[in-house]
Amino acid sequence: MDGTVDGFRYGAVTPVAAYLMACLGGALGLRCVVRSLHNDQSWKPGWLALGAASIGCGIWTMHFVAMIGFQVEETRIGYHVGLTVLSLVVAVVVVGIGVFAVGYRGATTATLSAAGTVTGLGVAAMHYLGMGAMRLDGDIRYASPAVALSVVIAIVAATAALWAAVSIRGFLASLGASLVMGVAVSGMHYTAMEAVTVHVHDTVGASWAGESPTSLLLPMLLGPVVFLLLAGVVVMFDPLLVMGDAGWNGQPAPRRTASAVTAATRAPRRGSAEHPGSPKDAPADPTWSRRDPYEVPRRTRE
């Protein structure tokens, strides 16, 4: 028989929390990519990797936070640990492929098309791999049209995210792009969940009985959430991302050259324009530092 599927067991709590996690991962990822592209002194591979991990963890966390609210009333739900962790690895790796592609090759049409397609298919694979990790007393079936639509949404969302990562530089613009990314990723997830039906096996005593998947998912979600928070600390304490010109008005922060630093820190020579009151060949005077530099020296009597 078909089970009674409910994706909103806790009402709006899980969809809102899932959306916020997607936005957080997207915002951190976009700022990290901006940091790598528009500052020559940054370690580009490191910032791109941090951005890919942030976006991938955000997408994965969004999925499983949303799945906390998923239930089938006639059966309990569990998760296979290995497949759940593998879905996280897939999310980070496929996002990394797209981020590194546009990070090094730029936002050309060919690069965006290829990277967006690969990343979108990878995100969809992460979703269905996570669904495959579910353990329940029944069979999960999918409606093909909704599955195809979810894959299309994933590809479009991934392409838009990669374009935003290399094209949007301002802090507020990146924040707005991350909000749109959250909508796209959440929309892909719930579109895919509309394709789900569960055929429950006729087993006596397999009722829901108040059980919840949180006993497994919450400990597994702890790691990615902590990572996102630590990545947020790194981003927020980087002046080039928050307070620098590169973060607020889209202009690269000025860099001081070694010659400029030397000129700024070098002590002025006596007899130069900085000390107009001292003759060039005047002997060293230990009291000179206490004199007014603009004092005119008194003439001695011949």
Side-chain angles (χ1 to χ4, degrees):
M1 64 176 179
D2 289 338
T4 305
V5 176
D6 183 10
F8 304 95
R9 186 185 186 206
Y10 301 103
V13 175
T14 49
V16 172
Y19 170 74
L20 292 178
M21 295 309 300
C23 292
L24 175 61
L28 295 177
L30 289 179
R31 297 312 296 162
C32 290
V33 175
V34 168
R35 177 69 165 80
S36 71
L37 295 178
H38 304 296
N39 186 269
D40 296 336
Q41 295 178 337
S42 63
W43 184 41
K44 190 172 186 177
W47 283 105
L48 289 176
L50 181 60
S54 298
I55 297 175
C57 285
I59 295 173
W60 184 88
T61 306
M62 178 280 306
H63 171 84
F64 282 100
V65 167
M67 291 306 295
I68 291 176
F70 179 81
Q71 70 168 334
V72 181
E73 293 185 0
E74 291 80 9
T75 181
R76 297 175 181 148
I77 296 178
Y79 288 88
H80 188 276
V81 176
L83 289 177
T84 303
V85 174
L86 179 60
S87 66
L88 172 60
V89 175
V90 169
V92 174
V93 169
V94 296
V95 172
I97 292 173
V99 167
F100 273 81
V102 298
Y104 281 96
R105 299 181 63 87
T108 63
T109 302
T111 301
L112 277 177
S113 300
T117 300
V118 171
T119 304
L121 291 175
V123 170
M126 180 279 300
H127 173 87
Y128 289 104
L129 188 59
M131 294 296 295
M134 293 178 61
R135 293 294 180 263
L136 47 78
D137 190 24
D139 299 322
I140 300 176
R141 299 171 180 176
Y142 299 95
S144 299
V147 171
L149 180 59
S150 68
V151 174
V152 171
I153 294 175
I155 293 175
V156 173
T159 304
L162 294 175
W163 173 85
V166 297
S167 302
I168 296 179
R169 298 174 62 177
F171 180 83
L172 295 180
S174 294
L175 180 61
S178 67
L179 297 178
V180 176
M181 285 174 57
V183 172
V185 173
S186 299
M188 176 267 169
H189 172 83
Y190 285 104
T191 299
M193 295 308 296
E194 282 296 314
V196 173
T197 57
V198 178
H199 180 75
V200 180
H201 300 158
D202 294 330
T203 303
V204 179
S207 62
W208 177 260
E211 292 292 335
S212 170
T214 56
S215 59
L216 172 65
L217 289 183
L218 287 182
M220 297 188 69
L221 288 169
L222 183 61
V225 170
V226 170
F227 170 80
L228 289 175
L229 294 178
L230 292 178
V233 171
V234 172
V235 170
M236 293 305 295
F237 280 89
D238 190 322
L240 291 177
L241 291 175
V242 181
M243 298 301 295
D245 291 337
W248 290 103
N249 55 23
Q251 299 297 326
R255 292 183 297 167
R256 299 181 67 185
T257 62
S259 59
V261 173
T262 302
T265 58
R266 185 178 57 193
R269 293 181 304 173
R270 297 173 59 194
S272 61
E274 289 86 345
H275 289 299
S278 174
K280 198 169 191 179
D281 56 350
D285 187 349
T287 64
W288 176 259
S289 60
R290 296 192 297 270
R291 292 182 180 178
D292 183 356
Y294 295 97
E295 176 185 0
V296 179
R298 291 176 296 178
R299 299 181 62 182
T300 59
R301 299 178 60 184
E302 297 181 357

